[in-house]
Amino acid sequence: MKITEIKIRKTEVSPKLRAVVSVTFDDEFVVHDIKVIDGGDRLFLAMPSRRLPDGTFCDIAHPVSAALRKTLEQRVTEAFLNAKGGDGED
């Protein structure tokens, strides 16, 4: 699976939420609402999720393998850091 597009929408909603991202795979499948979170010592991704009736959250889309998660985090973080001003779209 190849990441073919990353769209960055920088946000100033909260100090920790730095951007909301859409990632396209193989020019055929897109995952919206991936969040770039400032964890203090590093940026990390929060995958799209929904709140369950008990108040906890459950990811609705996520990488199955650690290798894909690492690649996704590296590529999205790089795109975020290289995003130009304005809306930050890459």
Side-chain angles (χ1 to χ4, degrees), residues 54-70:
D54 66 2
T56 61
F57 287 89
C58 178
D59 287 350
I60 56 175
H62 60 88
V64 174
S65 72
L68 179 56
R69 179 174 292 278
K70 181 178 178 180

Side-chain angles (χ1 to χ4, degrees), residues 43-63:
L43 296 174
F44 67 92
L45 303 183
M47 300 307 293
S49 62
R50 64 180 169 160
R51 185 184 298 258
L52 299 176
D54 66 2
T56 61
F57 287 89
C58 178
D59 287 350
I60 56 175
H62 60 88

Side-chain angles (χ1 to χ4, degrees), residues 1-54:
M1 182 174 296
K2 183 177 175 184
I3 297 170
T4 52
E5 184 177 29
I6 299 172
K7 290 187 178 181
I8 306 287
R9 293 180 309 281
K10 289 188 175 182
T11 181
E12 295 182 16
V13 172
S14 80
K16 291 189 180 222
L17 177 61
R18 303 293 303 278
V20 178
V21 180
S22 296
V23 178
T24 304
F25 298 90
D26 296 331
D27 288 323
E28 295 184 356
F29 184 79
V30 65
V31 178
H32 297 289
D33 296 331
I34 299 171
K35 295 172 183 73
V36 177
I37 307 292
D38 185 345
D41 59 333
R42 71 178 185 92
L43 296 174
F44 67 92
L45 303 183
M47 300 307 293
S49 62
R50 64 180 169 160
R51 185 184 298 258
L52 299 176
D54 66 2

Side-chain angles (χ1 to χ4, degrees), residues 61-82:
H62 60 88
V64 174
S65 72
L68 179 56
R69 179 174 292 278
K70 181 178 178 180
T71 298
L72 185 60
E73 283 193 347
Q74 288 174 338
R75 292 280 309 277
V76 169
T77 299
E78 179 181 296
F80 172 78
L81 294 173
N82 291 325

